Every structure is written in C-alpha cells, then in structure tokens.
Amino acid sequence: LCKPETATQAIEYLRVGRDASLSPDQRLRCDYLLAQLLAEKGDYEEAYKLFGRLGHSGKDYRTQFNAKMAQIDVLAKMDGSNPVNLHKIERKFNNMRHQYRNEEYLDQIYYGLGNVALMQEDTLKAIRQYEMALEKSTRNGMDKAMAALRLGEITFQREDYVKAQKAYSVAMGIINKEFKDYERIQRLSAVLDELQTHAETVQLQDSLLALSELPEKELNKVIDRIIKELIKAEKEAEDQERMAEYEANRSSNPDPLAQDNQQPTVGKQ
C-alpha cells in the first residue's frame, strides 16, 4: 500500500481522518485502509479486530466478504504454523463455504482451504481443494488463475504432468504479460503441452497392460462397458446430426405446411 517508512505516518493520518469524518461510508473506507496498513506493518492483533468488525459492518456484502478473507489471512500470519490455529482457520473457511451468500465466492474459499492443507502438509487434500476452486469458479479472473497455478505447481512436482498441463493451460488463458513470472509460466506451459501427448500415451499403455492382466470374466465386463459407451456416443451423435438437419430444413423453408417441417424423433429409429 505504501513504503514502510511512511506506513506509520499514513496510519496516524487515517485515524485522524476517520474520527473527523461525518460520512459513514468514508469512515468505513478509512477503517479498511487502516486495517490493511496495520497488517502490512505487522500489527496483526489490531488489524484482526478491525477486519472482524468490517466483516459485519461493511457497506455491501462484497466488502464484508473481503474483510473476512483478509481477517483469515491476518490470522494465518499471526501463527499460521500452529496446528490449533490452522484448524481454526479451516473451520472459518468451512463455515463460509456453507453460507448461501458465498456461492459466487466459493473459488476463493476453496483456494484458502487448499493453502491451509498445504500448511498442514496434506498435499492430496490441497490438490482436491484447488480442483474444487476451479470447478466452483464462476468468474474467469485472477482468483481462478491463482488456484490453477497452485494446482499446476503441486501436480508438476508430483510428476503428474497431465494434470499439471491442464492447470497451467487454464492459468495461461487468464494471466497476461504483466503477471509476475509470466515468461517462466509460459515456457513451462509450453513444455507441458509437449509432454502431455507422451504422458497420455504412457497412461494408455499402462491401462492396456492392466487390462491384459485381468481375469477373462472381468475383462469381458470392461469390454461390454466400453461397447455400451461407444453405442451411446454414436446414438447421441446421430441425434445431433438429425436435429441439425431438421433445423437447417426449417430455416430454409419457413412454410409451416411443408413436408420437411416434421420434427424428427430424437433417440428413436
């Protein structure tokens, strides 16, 4: 927000400005800036209390939500490595996750839960939380990009290159050249694009090897399931083609009495 040497002075100005203001909105803005500066300066206890108050008295729900997220961030900085503290942070996120008003912010909440899981050294749990962040994202913004990058980093370290490629591909569709480490992320994404084909080939070979080792009865079950899936996919493709032909005929012949205006029965022969 400002340079360390001017933070103390800025905090004092905000305190004076807040007390002198007659506008409730202006006082809230001063409180929010004050809480951010206090957290940046390391005055975590006062920042935590101030963000907590803003989480209930913010001008709109977006401001309240941001204040709650900032309060959790401050809590993590206060003593994030403490297991009791991590459990408290996780509980706060889970409480927010179950509130209907937070549906459009679930990506941020799951991202926070993923960070907590990493601090708990539970990598698999972190991966699940970051995947949920991507799944629940309703906005193609930086929150989604950050979750994708974190997921990409972890899965790359675990040599799960297929998942890593997908995650970095999502991130590259959002970030721009001004983003920190953009060139490194771009190069890594390009390398993963090349590796994806090879990795999928290896996975296919592993799957075929596993199938070859199945008992005949189990192998037949797998084959039957694959055949059913292929038949279903073919039927869906035929239905789509038939519907497309009907729409094309209808648009080219608007006469409601035309013979071709009879809609096909989808899914039936």
Side-chain angles (χ1 to χ4, degrees), residues 134 140-142 144-152 164-176 179 182 185 189:
L134 296 181
N140 206 37
M142 289 308 302
K144 185 176 183 179
M146 294 305 296
L149 286 172
R150 191 61 63 87
L151 177 61
Q165 185 274 334
K166 291 177 181 177
Y168 276 108
S169 179
V170 169
M172 285 301 300
I174 301 172
I175 64 174
N176 55 35
F179 189 84
Y182 176 84
I185 295 168
S189 180

Side-chain angles (χ1 to χ4, degrees), residues 71-224:
Q71 186 189 39
I72 294 174
D73 185 59
V74 169
L75 183 60
K77 291 176 180 177
M78 289 171 70
D79 195 7
S81 60
N82 186 312
V84 175
N85 197 43
L86 287 177
H87 180 69
K88 183 178 180 180
I89 294 171
E90 187 175 28
R91 189 169 65 248
K92 282 180 174 290
F93 275 129
N94 280 321
N95 288 338
M96 295 172 70
R97 180 168 60 90
H98 293 299
Q99 295 171 8
Y100 78 95
R101 296 184 71 181
N102 291 332
E103 285 186 1
E104 66 175 297
Y105 307 118
L106 285 175
D107 52 349
Q108 292 176 253
I109 294 171
Y110 278 110
Y111 176 72
L113 284 167
N115 292 342
V116 171
L118 277 186
M119 295 172 75
Q120 294 170 329
E121 299 184 354
D122 191 338
T123 306
L124 292 178
K125 183 178 179 181
I127 288 173
R128 290 195 299 270
Q129 302 291 21
Y130 292 134
E131 287 176 337
M132 286 298 296
L134 296 181
E135 180 183 327
K136 297 295 183 179
S137 178
T138 58
R139 297 158 295 177
N140 206 37
M142 289 308 302
D143 295 321
K144 185 176 183 179
M146 294 305 296
L149 286 172
R150 191 61 63 87
L151 177 61
E153 290 170 6
I154 298 173
T155 50
F156 181 79
Q157 291 169 0
R158 292 173 61 85
E159 298 183 4
D160 188 345
Y161 299 127
V162 173
K163 274 190 178 182
Q165 185 274 334
K166 291 177 181 177
Y168 276 108
S169 179
V170 169
M172 285 301 300
I174 301 172
I175 64 174
N176 55 35
K177 293 181 179 180
E178 283 69 43
F179 189 84
K180 183 181 178 182
D181 292 334
Y182 176 84
E183 290 186 2
R184 179 186 67 82
I185 295 168
Q186 185 184 43
R187 287 195 301 270
L188 181 55
S189 180
V191 170
L192 287 169
D193 287 343
E194 291 294 325
L195 282 175
Q196 182 190 24
T197 303
H198 302 293
E200 289 179 341
T201 300
V202 170
Q203 287 183 348
L204 175 60
Q205 291 172 346
D206 290 343
S207 297
L208 292 173
L209 180 61
L211 284 174
S212 68
E213 296 174 351
L214 284 176
E216 185 177 356
K217 186 176 180 180
E218 293 297 319
L219 179 60
N220 289 335
K221 286 182 180 179
V222 174
I223 293 172
D224 289 342

